[in-house]
Amino acid sequence: MKLKKRTTEGMNLLDIVLTEEGSVEGIVNFLQRNPGINPNGIIPAGTEIVVDTEEVQSRSVVDYLKGRNLRVNTGDIESPASPSELIAVATAIGEITLSWADNSQGLYGFEVWRRRKGALEFTLVEETDVAEVGYVDTGLGHGVTYEYKVRILGFAGAVDYSNVAEATTISADLVINASNPVGISIAGTGEWRHEGGVSYLFATAGKSAVSGIYLCDAGVSGVVDVSDAGWTSLVYLCVNKATNLDLRVGDWINQDGVTIEVVNSYVFKDLLKPFIAHVKQVNDVAANPNRTLDIGIITTDPAEDADLLADIDYLIANGWNVKIVYDKLLSFKVSAKTFLDTRGRVTDNAGEDLWLVNGQVFVSGYVNQNDVVEVYHTEPASLMDVIIDNIISGNIIPTQSLLSGSKLSARNSFASKQVLFNLIYEIEGLNPLNEFTLDILASETIDLYEDGDILKSELIDAVKVIDNLNVIYPKLRIGPDSGFSGFNATGSGDYTENENVAWKEGDFGVSFDGNQILNQIKYFEVFDDGLVGIFIRNNLNMEGWKIWSTQNTFSFNAGNTPISTADQIDFSNQVAISQVIYNSIYEFKAPLGSTINVLNLLNVDSGIHLDLSDYVISLNAGFTFRYCSAEQLIFSGVGNSIGAVVCDFRDSKLRGVNDWSGVTLNNTTIRYQNADNGGFPLEIIVADGSTIAAPLENKPLKIRTVDGTILYSNY
């Protein structure tokens, strides 16, 4: 069977035939199979040959020669001369170029061997093609000396190596540790190389050709040494947000216009003090005054350290503009383990933010229960949106620095309602400006009236609480003290407990006409001057309302002038107003010519009664209670009166005894036609001394006074 092989070391014809086929008798056949072989010389290593395993004459000869790596010495074959004149030159960054003389008539390739100077052993790094006399070694270290030697490929110890040549790779002018080198750059001439967390700057035209070095936000740590005298043109250096920074500067800092930014790199004074002392040491008192050192945030007041403050004052007195702040925006204690990524949580602002967890600089990761988070900022006077959404907190403590033109977003951030109350207490104590916004999504319903001792009305005016709040607002205020000029919510949609329904005063009063839901608007405060009418009509639901007034009155007279327009108060066409309570209103007035209209009230107080006993009613206008589902209408308070008007109860579901014992009728007409109520009788008890006009369409109806005097009865 014929096989293709390649020769290894330089061999002659007899070597190959004996080691592959075991007998000199096979030479003729071998030459016929390999007509390109030179029978009179060395066959170069790597030459392709064809051998025939069937031609093997003596397997023992083959095994013996190969097993002992023996060569046949015919006395006619000469070994090639070794390469010479090896030269090594550093030609580029991390690169050395080799060249040598080939003394073997161009018949062989070469082996290239390398070691770092001082090492014991050479390592084979390349095997060249035949007749090549050069090699470029790349990917080398910077500023490292390497040694090289070469020899003919395939001759092992039979041919000597060349001379040893050495070269040193180009050294970097600045070496730094940087975990995020994407934004690293320079102003001037040079080249950066980034390898395995280490960045190398090669000032290819010399250090003097570099005017700025930008290491901002590069994740720099450890030593940054720019103290060499060669940095003669350097006027800007930025090493923001570094960790364990050891920045070494030189005489270049005494040039006009020099700016050094180390914002948030020396946040603790123990790190800052040696750097400030170093700058002071290098500083030339005769230097130009136009120089800036922007330190950013430190977590303690420099005035608390006399030595540090003295050094800072020295720099300022000698031409440095030193920018340093120690303003905290807020702090909070974590109530439940959560993942916190601080990036992007302070937006729409100039400057840099700094987050600490338990006193250590923090960017991203898990925070645990009872961890204390602090947020600082370099430009506290700029507009800021600070976001601590979805971090459940046991307390949130803002500072005055946060409240100047800012918004704090704290959605789903309260471990309890009390945490929110405490936050608002803190805000109130800091006297926030009106433009401050608190954006919250409360985890539980907050009733701003029931919690009125904590949540004061003046605070509501000062703090804007926006967007999807689970908050019941304290009251709808109508009247001259409300500071508004009118409100009409006609057809404007749903008003539920989550809505901040505006409260206004004006010549048409207030109107909720044609809305779909008026649910759980609990507190409705009314002032009596300047109000003309209230219309709450055609709504689907008024469940759970409470009417409340600090004025102790619910009246509709403008400057004591009678109002002639009809329907001054109109609760008509409500589908449901169950559990509506009209309380703490001690005077219920409607001027002459007006009408109280409660048409089509369905499901009033769950179909049982509408109790207005707390009212002091002075009714000189019509009272319409048609198509209403309440079974009882109660006016049991004292001092009520109804004038010579019509009280219309037709088609309502009133039945049984209705207690109006606190109401005096004055020639009042009662209309009652109960066709939809199965003919159930209606009995109304009114105050002694009452008088009625002739009832109209009444069946069955009885009207009597408290002392039993029958004023009217048709059953």
Side-chain angles (χ1 to χ4, degrees):
M1 182 174 64
K2 296 179 176 60
L3 296 176
K4 287 185 177 181
K5 294 186 176 183
R6 289 188 179 274
T7 59
T8 54
E9 299 179 358
M11 305 173 70
N12 62 24
L13 177 62
L14 186 57
D15 284 330
I16 294 174
V17 173
L18 286 175
T19 56
E20 295 295 338
E21 299 182 357
S23 172
V24 295
E25 285 81 2
I27 289 178
V28 175
N29 292 334
F30 179 84
L31 289 174
Q32 290 176 347
R33 290 193 301 273
N34 300 276
I37 292 296
N38 178 8
N40 298 315
I42 298 296
I43 300 172
T47 301
E48 185 180 273
I49 60 174
V50 178
V51 298
D52 190 344
T53 58
E54 296 177 356
E55 291 284 342
V56 175
Q57 301 297 315
S58 175
R59 174 61 60 184
S60 60
V61 173
V62 172
D63 293 342
Y64 183 85
L65 294 175
K66 284 189 174 182
R68 290 165 175 75
N69 195 26
L70 296 178
R71 300 288 298 277
V72 177
N73 185 0
T74 63
D76 299 324
I77 302 173
E78 295 183 1
S79 297
S82 301
S84 61
E85 302 177 30
L86 175 63
I87 298 173
V89 179
T91 50
I93 297 170
E95 183 177 296
I96 291 177
T97 298
L98 304 177
S99 63
W100 59 86
D102 180 4
N103 300 314
S104 65
Q105 301 177 348
L107 297 176
Y108 305 101
F110 295 90
E111 299 171 349
V112 180
W113 296 73
R114 179 191 70 207
R115 71 180 176 188
R116 186 183 289 251
K117 189 169 184 176
L120 295 177
E121 302 293 336
F122 281 89
T123 301
L124 178 65
V125 294
E126 180 67 12
E127 294 180 347
T128 73
D129 290 337
V130 172
E132 285 194 10
V133 290
Y135 171 66
V136 179
D137 197 8
T138 60
L140 303 174
H142 309 300
V144 180
T145 300
Y146 294 94
E147 295 177 321
Y148 295 89
K149 62 183 180 179
V150 296
R151 73 175 179 182
I152 292 177
L153 177 66
F155 276 83
V159 179
D160 290 334
Y161 287 99
S162 69
N163 61 296
V164 174
E166 69 175 46
T168 302
T169 54
I170 298 173
S171 298
D173 296 282
L174 178 61
V175 181
I176 60 170
N177 296 312
S179 61
N180 181 32
V182 175
I184 289 180
S185 63
I186 64 167
T189 304
E191 181 179 344
W192 283 98
R193 293 288 180 92
H194 310 292
E195 301 170 5
V198 180
S199 295
Y200 303 86
L201 171 60
F202 298 89
T204 52
K207 295 184 179 72
S208 61
V210 177
S211 59
I213 300 175
Y214 300 82
L215 310 176
C216 314
D217 304 321
V220 173
S221 62
V223 175
V224 176
D225 190 349
V226 283
S227 61
D228 189 272
W231 301 103
T232 56
S233 300
L234 186 60
V235 292
Y236 179 81
L237 174 63
C238 174
V239 199
N240 291 346
K241 298 181 181 179
T243 56
N244 300 316
L245 178 62
D246 181 3
L247 176 57
R248 305 170 188 178
V249 297
D251 289 340
W252 59 269
I253 70 169
N254 296 306
Q255 300 178 86
D256 181 51
V258 162
T259 296
I260 302 174
E261 292 185 9
V262 286
V263 174
N264 295 2
S265 292
Y266 294 107
V267 298
F268 306 110
K269 70 175 184 179
D270 290 342
L271 299 176
L272 177 62
K273 288 179 68 174
F275 172 65
I276 293 292
H278 172 60
V279 175
K280 176 184 174 182
Q281 181 181 11
V282 179
N283 181 74
D284 183 351
V285 295
N288 292 287
N290 182 28
R291 293 172 291 166
T292 298
L293 176 56
D294 191 350
I295 298 168
I297 296 168
I298 65 171
T299 57
T300 54
D301 187 345
E304 296 178 359
D305 188 309
D307 293 337
L308 174 59
L309 183 62
D311 285 348
I312 293 174
D313 289 343
Y314 172 87
L315 293 179
I316 293 173
N318 285 276
W320 285 92
N321 174 24
V322 180
K323 297 181 180 180
I324 185 170
V325 296
Y326 50 94
D327 289 281
K328 184 190 297 185
L329 299 182
L330 79 159
S331 63
F332 57 89
K333 180 179 287 187
V334 178
S335 290
K337 182 177 180 179
T338 188
F339 185 82
L340 171 60
D341 189 339
T342 66
R343 290 167 292 193
R345 285 184 175 267
V346 181
T347 62
D348 298 333
N349 68 96
E352 299 286 346
D353 55 291
L354 173 70
W355 295 66
L356 302 182
V357 174
N358 299 329
Q360 299 299 315
V361 177
F362 185 89
V363 177
S364 180
Y366 280 96
V367 289
N368 298 304
Q369 184 178 10
N370 295 324
D371 282 352
V372 176
V373 181
E374 299 170 277
V375 185
Y376 292 79
H377 200 272
T378 59
E379 300 287 345
S382 69
L383 176 64
M384 287 174 285
D385 290 348
V386 181
I387 304 168
I388 58 172
D389 294 349
N390 303 312
I391 307 170
I392 305 301
S393 305
N395 69 339
I396 302 173
I397 302 176
T399 68
Q400 186 66 60
S401 297
L402 174 68
L403 302 180
S404 179
S406 303
K407 180 176 79 174
L408 173 62
S409 181
R411 291 165 164 255
N412 295 319
S413 298
F414 302 99
S416 68
K417 181 162 52 175
Q418 189 61 46
V419 176
L420 172 60
F421 294 162
N422 292 342
L423 171 60
I424 294 180
Y425 265 143
E426 295 285 345
I427 294 173
E428 184 180 26
L430 293 169
N431 298 314
L433 301 178
N434 286 340
E435 61 267 27
F436 178 71
T437 297
L438 174 64
D439 184 353
I440 65 173
L441 182 63
S443 58
E444 52 186 297
T445 299
I446 298 171
D447 190 320
L448 298 187
Y449 173 67
E450 293 177 357
D451 298 309
D453 58 330
I454 296 176
L455 303 173
K456 298 177 175 60
S457 60
E458 61 267 23
L459 181 63
I460 304 303
D461 293 334
V463 180
K464 301 171 186 176
V465 185
I466 64 172
D467 204 5
N468 295 330
L469 304 181
N470 189 24
V471 174
I472 297 178
Y473 283 78
K475 52 203 168 187
L476 302 182
R477 304 180 65 208
I478 303 168
D481 295 335
S482 63
F484 295 95
S485 59
F487 176 50
N488 188 340
T490 301
S492 57
D494 298 352
Y495 287 85
T496 70
E497 63 183 355
N498 294 334
E499 295 284 347
N500 181 6
V501 183
W503 44 87
K504 301 182 180 180
E505 172 267 335
D507 59 0
F508 57 82
V510 63
S511 173
F512 293 93
D513 190 355
N515 296 292
Q516 303 222 348
I517 297 176
L518 289 171
N519 188 25
Q520 297 290 335
I521 301 179
K522 290 186 177 180
Y523 308 105
F524 195 94
E525 183 174 5
V526 181
F527 298 83
D528 70 345
D529 291 333
L531 180 64
V532 184
I534 177 169
F535 306 98
I536 305 178
R537 307 181 297 193
N538 307 309
N539 299 297
L540 297 181
N541 197 335
M542 284 179 60
E543 184 172 351
W545 273 50
K546 294 178 182 177
I547 302 290
W548 172 72
S549 172
T550 58
Q551 293 286 101
N552 297 330
T553 184
F554 190 63
S555 61
F556 300 94
N557 55 326
N560 297 317
T561 301
I563 299 172
S564 60
T565 50
D567 297 335
Q568 294 305 307
I569 177 169
D570 190 336
F571 290 107
S572 61
N573 302 319
Q574 313 298 330
V575 171
I577 60 168
S578 63
Q579 300 179 16
V580 177
I581 301 173
Y582 305 93
N583 60 355
S584 303
I585 302 174
Y586 300 115
E587 185 176 4
F588 189 90
K589 299 177 181 178
L592 182 65
S594 64
T595 301
I596 296 178
N597 188 349
V598 284
L599 285 171
N600 302 318
L601 287 180
L602 304 180
N603 192 26
V604 176
D605 197 11
S606 301
I608 299 175
H609 65 271
L610 180 59
D611 188 345
L612 302 177
S613 58
D614 286 339
Y615 284 71
V616 177
I617 296 176
S618 176
L619 184 58
N620 294 310
F623 193 116
T624 303
F625 200 74
R626 298 191 68 184
Y627 309 109
C628 299
S629 64
E631 296 180 9
Q632 289 184 309
L633 179 60
I634 302 171
F635 291 115
S636 59
V638 296
N640 300 287
S641 66
I642 299 178
V645 296
V646 175
C647 293
D648 192 344
F649 301 109
R650 290 175 298 168
D651 304 305
S652 69
K653 292 186 178 182
L654 292 178
R655 65 176 69 183
V657 178
N658 283 251
D659 185 358
W660 295 16
S661 57
V663 179
T664 300
L665 303 182
N666 297 289
N667 203 30
T668 304
T669 297
I670 306 291
R671 300 188 69 180
Y672 176 66
Q673 183 183 30
N674 203 351
D676 294 334
N677 203 19
F680 285 97
L682 171 65
E683 182 176 347
I684 301 174
I685 302 174
V686 297
D688 295 341
S690 294
T691 60
I692 63 170
L696 304 174
E697 304 178 32
N698 294 315
K699 54 178 185 180
L701 171 66
K702 179 187 289 186
I703 304 173
R704 66 178 177 86
T705 61
V706 174
D707 63 8
T709 302
I710 303 298
L711 301 180
Y712 175 85
S713 177
N714 62 5
Y715 68 91

